[in-house]
Amino acid sequence: MQAFGIFEGGGAKGLAHVGAIAVAQELGVQFVGVAGASAGAIVAALIAVGYTPREVYDPITQSGLLAGDLTDLFGAGRWHDWERFADALKARLEGGSLLRTWLAAPWFYRKWRAPLSRLGLDHGFFDTAPIEEAIDRWLRARKVSVPPAQPRLLFGDLDPSIVPPLRIIASDIDRQSPVVFSRERTPGVAVAKAVAASIGLPFFFRPVQLTLDGEVRTLVDGGLVANFPVWIFDDARRRRRADPTPIIGFRLLERADAPHEGGSSPLRFARSLLETALNANVEIHARGIDDLYTFPLEVNVSTYDFDLSPARKQALYESARQQAGYKLLRDLAPRNPRVLAMMLNEATALFVKQTGFQRHLRTNLALLTSRGTLKIVAGYNMDEDADDRLEFELDVSACGECWMRHDLVVLDIGAYLRTKAPIPGLSKYQQALVRPTLSTILSVPIFDPGRFSAAREDVFNPLIGILNFDSDSASVPEFMGAARAARAAAVMCGEILTARLAP
């Protein structure tokens, strides 16, 4: 299965992406384009140039690019300096009132003049230069060709016939806007420089200065503007409209039971503020994206845990791999277009066999989107119709009413079409896509067979989606009389949609 891969930023949590990618590739997912912000940008760049997940991190042999001590990438001794300074700053800010902290500032400044100067003048404790150098060295070792005298691998060196498109996002704090790096937009920019800009957590790393379009720009963490840039391949997907390519996005979520410092302090407030900025815009960017599959990976690691022990790294990787494997099998593998086409063909055949139905008949599957709507994702006998990808609100239409009631619904849609009356819940644009000769719609709930219980009312049994039958000639009584066959077809679809498919 071909898909675009999007990897959310998350600092030290980024290793989880490697485990998720490993299981995705084992299940047959081929990434035809990869993108990310911050830590996600590092992973995307490595995958783009041909590294296998095991070459990035192998949990069995504890080897790979990210298996070593990541704090070594910050410069010799710098992480130790940071720990000492962070502990002193924490004690100063939490050791008493703000007045006492202010009165003691001259003494504190004299002792910690160097790190405070880096924060005040350079706007960051760590320089990204050592990380940029390491990343460039890694990238040049794979499926790319770089002229000997050229100091860095450029986006223009990424031959599209060899490597999939790579896109990296950073935040321009001068223009307060996103900057997207790619072969098409920034061919003369070094890939490692773009990654260095994208990982620039404010005040943790110094901002990256880069000349773009003849103007010096100040760039920081891409997560500030789009930590989960699911829109970044919109142009490429439009070019592939005849064969829509889904987006697989991996998010990094700290577990609710992950250890957190208690109490309140300016330092904790600043850290929480930054975390909020990095994550709050995710829902906004995910809205309106068709064929988007989002897979949250819960991790017991914070953004700043760069000094993870080998044991915690292995646990992080294995947990992400297990979560991604289950979610990919449950939510994505059964929704392969070929599988869905086969399923709807079988559902239609079962319906016809049990009812003897000889009239015009179309069948489609509607699934819940990340926007809280129902969208038709596959259809049978709908190839020539424009309504094969309609999207419905949950509280309207036969499909939405079926979802809300958890019960079969029949709609005389012909009554609306014949009089050109507005169809409840559809915009004028959506209604214009509806097949004008339709007569009746039958919507049937698809329950999750693994969690279904006959002992409770259907409204309390969880749903997977909605199976819709519609016809140009069938009447409401005819479809009502076919309720048993329709339910049997929905049960079959539920079994297929929850099947644990082999890799």
Side-chain angles (χ1 to χ4, degrees):
M1 177 182 183
Q2 292 188 336
F4 290 102
I6 308 295
F7 308 106
E8 185 179 33
K13 295 178 285 189
L15 182 62
H17 286 315
V18 184
I21 293 169
V23 72
Q25 291 184 344
E26 289 171 9
L27 291 173
V29 175
Q30 176 190 357
F31 291 113
V32 295
V34 288
S38 195
I42 297 178
V43 174
L46 295 176
I47 296 301
V49 299
Y51 279 99
T52 66
R54 181 159 291 184
E55 290 172 326
V56 179
Y57 177 76
D58 187 337
I60 299 176
T61 62
Q62 293 286 305
S63 61
L65 301 179
L66 301 183
D69 189 344
L70 297 182
T71 63
D72 289 343
L73 299 176
F74 298 159
R78 278 301 179 88
W79 183 257
H80 179 64
D81 293 343
W82 165 257
E83 288 184 311
R84 292 175 58 243
F85 172 66
D87 288 342
L89 185 62
K90 177 181 175 182
R92 178 54 42 195
L93 291 175
E94 299 180 0
S97 68
L98 288 177
L99 177 61
R100 288 176 56 191
T101 299
W102 180 78
L103 291 173
W107 167 84
F108 187 81
Y109 177 78
R110 284 194 298 271
K111 183 174 182 179
W112 301 101
R113 178 179 300 175
L116 285 171
S117 295
R118 286 200 292 270
L119 289 176
L121 299 178
D122 299 330
H123 308 300
F125 190 90
F126 294 105
D127 192 344
T128 58
I131 301 177
E132 178 186 339
E133 182 178 350
I135 291 175
D136 184 74
R137 185 171 64 251
W138 295 342
L139 297 176
R140 294 162 72 101
R142 301 309 292 172
K143 297 188 299 184
V144 293
S145 178
V146 185
Q150 187 172 295
R152 290 282 189 263
L153 170 72
L154 306 180
F155 276 94
D157 299 322
L158 300 179
D159 186 343
S161 67
I162 300 176
V163 301
L166 168 67
R167 298 188 180 181
I168 291 170
I169 192 165
S171 302
D172 183 340
I173 61 175
D174 296 321
R175 296 189 178 185
Q176 300 176 3
S177 63
V179 175
V180 176
F181 296 95
S182 68
R183 186 176 187 273
E184 299 81 10
R185 303 181 189 187
T186 56
V189 173
V191 177
K193 177 69 75 174
V195 172
S198 186
I199 68 172
L201 286 164
F203 297 106
F204 193 79
F205 290 112
R206 297 176 188 173
V208 170
Q209 301 288 327
L210 186 62
T211 300
L212 295 172
D213 300 324
E215 180 182 348
V216 177
R217 315 277 277 277
T218 304
L219 307 177
V220 296
D221 197 314
L224 293 181
V225 289
N227 205 32
F228 190 50
V230 292
W231 47 266
I232 206 165
F233 283 111
D234 278 354
D235 57 335
R237 297 180 76 220
R238 281 193 293 269
R239 291 193 294 271
R240 299 166 65 101
R241 184 175 298 174
D243 181 23
T245 303
I247 299 172
I248 297 177
F250 294 105
R251 296 204 56 207
L252 303 173
L253 306 179
E254 280 193 52
R255 286 173 47 185
D257 60 348
H260 287 278
E261 298 176 353
S264 174
S265 75
L267 192 60
R268 291 198 195 103
F269 177 77
R271 182 169 175 172
S272 298
L273 193 65
L274 178 58
E275 294 280 1
T276 300
L278 292 174
N279 293 297
N281 58 16
V282 169
E283 180 64 25
I284 296 174
H285 288 144
R287 292 174 182 247
I289 304 294
D290 291 336
D291 301 305
L292 167 63
Y293 297 89
T294 301
F295 298 101
L297 303 174
E298 292 189 351
V299 299
N300 197 20
V301 170
S302 80
T303 300
Y304 301 92
D305 285 341
F306 293 105
D307 55 346
L308 288 176
S309 66
R312 290 191 68 192
K313 282 187 178 183
Q314 184 173 12
L316 174 61
Y317 175 96
E318 294 293 356
S319 174
R321 177 186 168 85
Q322 182 178 18
Q323 292 180 68
Y326 169 72
K327 292 170 181 174
L328 282 163
L329 282 171
R330 182 197 66 191
D331 295 341
L332 190 62
R335 299 179 190 182
N336 181 292
R338 292 183 180 179
V339 175
L340 295 183
M342 174 203 73
M343 180 188 76
L344 291 179
N345 186 28
E346 292 296 321
T348 304
L350 177 61
F351 181 86
V352 170
K353 180 180 180 180
Q354 292 195 7
T355 62
F357 203 83
Q358 297 297 321
R359 297 181 180 274
H360 165 267
L361 185 66
R362 303 190 313 167
T363 313
N364 66 66
L365 171 69
L367 298 176
L368 192 68
T369 72
S370 60
R371 300 174 293 283
T373 58
L374 288 166
K375 186 175 185 298
I376 296 176
V377 299
Y380 172 79
N381 201 26
M382 298 179 69
D383 294 342
E384 302 300 323
D385 298 322
D387 58 352
D388 63 342
R389 288 295 184 271
L390 275 177
E391 191 168 341
F392 310 97
E393 299 293 335
L394 291 183
D395 56 348
V396 293
S397 75
C399 193
E401 185 180 353
C402 178
W403 181 273
M404 297 299 291
R405 290 172 48 190
H406 290 215
D407 197 6
L408 182 146
V409 172
V410 177
L411 173 67
D412 182 4
I413 193 171
Y416 294 97
L417 296 174
R418 285 190 298 271
T419 61
K420 297 184 179 181
I423 300 174
L426 296 188
S427 66
K428 290 182 179 180
Y429 170 75
Q430 290 175 312
Q431 185 159 338
L433 298 178
V434 175
R435 182 182 174 94
T437 56
L438 279 184
S439 172
T440 315
I441 295 176
L442 168 61
S443 296
V444 196
I446 302 175
F447 293 100
D448 184 341
R451 296 187 291 166
F452 182 86
S453 173
R456 58 189 175 198
E457 296 181 41
D458 282 349
V459 71
F460 298 114
N461 280 313
L463 295 181
I464 297 175
I466 304 296
L467 179 65
N468 296 297
F469 297 95
D470 62 48
S471 173
D472 289 352
S473 53
S475 65
V476 170
E478 284 177 310
F479 264 163
M480 289 297 295
R484 178 177 295 182
R487 294 186 190 279
V491 169
M492 185 202 70
C493 291
E495 295 291 344
I496 293 176
L497 288 172
T498 56
R500 300 295 182 263
L501 301 186

